[in-house]
Structures are given as C-alpha cells and as structure tokens.
Amino acid sequence: AALPALALGAGLLVAAWRWLWGAARPRRGGSMRGKTVIITGANSGLGRAAAAELLRMRARVIMGCRDRARAELAAREIRAEVGERADDAGELVVRELDLASLRSVRAFCHRVLQEESRLDVLINNAGIFQCPYMKTEDGFEMQFGVNHLGHFLLTNLLLGLLKNSAPSRIVVVSSKLYKYGEINFEDLNSEISYDKSFCYSRSKLANILFARELARRLEGTGVTVNSLHPGIVRTNLGRHVNIPLLAKPLFNLVSWAFFKTPLEGAQTSIYLASSPDVEGVSGKYFGDCKEEELLPKAMDDLVARKLWDISEVMVGLLK
C-alpha cells in the first residue's frame, strides 16, 4: 500500500508543479513560411505534435505515414486544433510511407521528387519499440529495418533535393536507450538471437552513428544533420510492452505524473527543425534543446562508416 500512496503523492506534486508553471512551450525559431518539412510517423505521438507546431509556424508539412486513413484523420484534427485562417496558415499534406517496405520508401521519395520543388527539413521520427520478432517486407528484423534502414534509404534518396534547397536540415529522433545497444556486424538481422530490448537500443545507436557519418559526408553542402533523444514520453510507441493488468492503474498514474506529453517530447525536434540557434550546427546530439555528450561507442567513426557501407548494400543503393 505504501508504494501506490507514494506514487500518488509524487504524482500530485508533479501535477501541482505543472499547473503552477504550465507545460513546456515550443522553442520556436519564428516563421517557417515558404519552407517544406517532411515528418515520418506524423499521425500520432511526437510526430503529430511536431506537425501541429510547424503548421502553426506556417510550414508546408508533409506527413509520411503508413496508415493513410489514420493519417488523414490526424490531419483533420490538427487543422481544427491549429485553427488559423486559410490565408495565414501553413499547409498539411498526407503521403503514404511504410518504412517497413523499401518499395514504399522508394515510391514515396519518387512522388516527393516529382511534386516538391524544395525540401527544407526532414524529420526522421517514426519508430517501432520492443516488438516481438518479426521481419519487414524485405526480410529485415523489424526494429532495425524500420528505425534505421527505412530512414537510411529515405534520407539518401532525398539528399539531392535537400542539397538543392540548402541551407536545409535533417533531424534524427533517437533515444537515450542507445546506451544499451551494440552494433553486432555478425548478426545485424538478429538471425542468431533476438532480444527485443537490445534490438531497439541497437537501432537507436544506429540512428546516432548514421547521423554522425552523414554529417561528415555533408560538410560544406549547407545541409546539417543532428540527432536527439526526446525523453520518456506518453505515446503509443510502447504498445508492444506487456504490463500486468493489476499494475496498469499504477503505471498510468506514474506515466501521467512523470512522463512528458507528446508536445513536451517534441520540443527538441521542433527546435532543431526551426531555431536559428542551431543554424550551421551539424553532427551533434541533443536533449531538451541542449547539446549533450555521447558515449564513446556512439562516436566511433570506424563503426559508423562500416555501418553506412553495409546499410547501402542492405537497402540496394549498392550491389
């Protein structure tokens, strides 16, 4: 009985603090009018919150989402929430994108390159978390395939447009859980063994290494790339995590009290996408809109280059 009471007390204190000081507000960089932003996984959670805020800043926001019906519903809700006059608002566009399918990624990019004259910001936000062992359409372990390889191909196919639109930005959503991952080149596809927690952490470490190597390759182009961790956020990312029925009320209370809202969690993505504070900054890792230090394994340039080379082959950019 003591533990629930303690959690309740702490939750009430946090709720009181939030009521007194208010939720974290976006660290906006001013108007995004005339700028085009792509956000993957923008129909819920962090991506949805970022899409709404960037729309408020008058950007043209392309929502790249796997489920078109859910994305269209989210877009209607976002437009209603933003509530700006038609002549003063940004634009919200829904495009189908399934990161578990290289075919879908290529089709999405082909359409973007056909229809868009510029791309100012790419936010690689979508992800899957601690799912049971399953494979993508192309036979990749799902977490590594979606979180890393899908975004790797997406970014590479859009690099030309980003360079032509420079100065432009790439934002990669990672996680502090990268600390528990390792890049095992002998079993990248988890054919030998699979641990859903380890594989998620590995995919998030891969995100950071990818951003680091990409920043090196983009030096002098006017395109910057930075990675971030959003913190612990109340989203549907944890839908594959099984919580005992009796523990759910306590978990819900704790998550309400201590986890960030999607809007709070999206602040660093919004900051890196729009703020003049990070103009020209590249190859860094951020949390709570501030640069943070990485563990040595996330700064290993040899591993980053090897991962890049292997990823190119896995997604078919190189034979």
Side-chain angles (χ1 to χ4, degrees), residues 189-203:
N189 209 37
S190 302
E191 302 282 358
I192 299 172
S193 65
Y194 179 73
D195 179 278
K196 62 183 183 180
S197 299
F198 168 82
C199 286
Y200 177 76
S201 296
R202 178 169 63 188
S203 72

Side-chain angles (χ1 to χ4, degrees), residues 3-19 234 249-259:
L3 185 59
L6 182 62
L8 177 60
L12 291 173
L13 285 174
V14 174
W17 180 87
R18 283 185 169 171
W19 182 81
R234 294 195 303 274
L250 178 59
F251 175 81
N252 291 336
L253 175 62
V254 170
S255 66
W256 173 80
F258 295 106
F259 291 9

Side-chain angles (χ1 to χ4, degrees), residues 101-278:
S101 164
L102 299 184
R103 174 184 49 81
S104 175
V105 173
R106 292 181 184 277
F108 172 86
C109 292
H110 178 76
R111 185 169 183 181
V112 168
L113 296 175
Q114 290 284 105
E115 297 179 349
E116 306 298 329
S117 60
R118 64 181 302 109
L119 176 58
D120 299 275
V121 183
L122 170 63
I123 303 180
N124 290 340
N125 165 83
I128 188 167
F129 177 72
Q130 293 193 11
C131 61
Y133 185 76
M134 58 182 77
K135 290 185 176 182
T136 68
E137 178 180 286
D138 305 278
F140 305 128
E141 184 275 311
M142 185 64 70
Q143 294 185 90
F144 190 74
V146 169
N147 299 351
H148 171 60
L149 291 174
H151 283 120
F152 179 88
L153 178 61
L154 175 79
T155 305
N156 273 282
L157 293 178
L158 296 176
L159 273 184
L161 186 56
L162 284 159
K163 289 176 182 178
N164 291 338
S165 308
S168 53
R169 306 180 183 190
I170 301 169
V171 178
V172 179
V173 179
S174 182
S175 167
K176 269 191 174 179
L177 292 176
Y178 85 86
K179 297 177 179 180
Y180 305 102
E182 300 289 342
I183 304 297
N184 177 8
F185 289 110
E186 302 304 315
D187 192 27
L188 278 180
N189 209 37
S190 302
E191 302 282 358
I192 299 172
S193 65
Y194 179 73
D195 179 278
K196 62 183 183 180
S197 299
F198 168 82
C199 286
Y200 177 76
S201 296
R202 178 169 63 188
S203 72
K204 295 290 104 178
L205 175 58
N207 288 157
I208 296 171
L209 291 168
F210 162 62
R212 185 175 179 86
E213 174 63 10
L214 181 57
R216 184 187 70 81
R217 290 169 179 254
L218 290 174
E219 288 177 3
T221 65
V223 184
T224 61
V225 53
N226 293 288
S227 58
L228 69 103
H229 75 85
I232 304 176
V233 186
R234 294 195 303 274
T235 71
N236 65 354
L237 188 66
R239 60 188 178 276
H240 293 293
V241 178
N242 293 319
I243 300 169
L245 185 62
L246 292 177
K248 280 189 176 181
L250 178 59
F251 175 81
N252 291 336
L253 175 62
V254 170
S255 66
W256 173 80
F258 295 106
F259 291 9
K260 292 181 178 181
T261 65
L263 177 59
E264 291 168 340
Q267 294 311 300
T268 308
S269 294
I270 298 165
Y271 174 72
L272 291 175
S274 64
S275 176
D277 294 350
V278 289

Side-chain angles (χ1 to χ4, degrees), residues 56-100:
R56 283 189 176 94
M57 296 161 68
R58 303 189 179 105
R60 172 178 167 82
V61 180
I62 299 174
M63 303 169 64
C65 303
R66 179 177 56 84
D67 189 322
R68 187 177 184 89
R70 289 179 58 200
E72 293 285 5
L73 175 60
R76 290 194 295 272
E77 292 172 348
I78 291 170
R79 292 186 189 105
E81 289 169 16
V82 172
E84 294 185 350
R85 300 189 307 276
D87 61 347
D88 196 39
E91 185 180 3
L92 208 55
V93 179
V94 173
R95 294 287 180 262
E96 189 172 331
L97 171 63
D98 183 357
L99 290 158

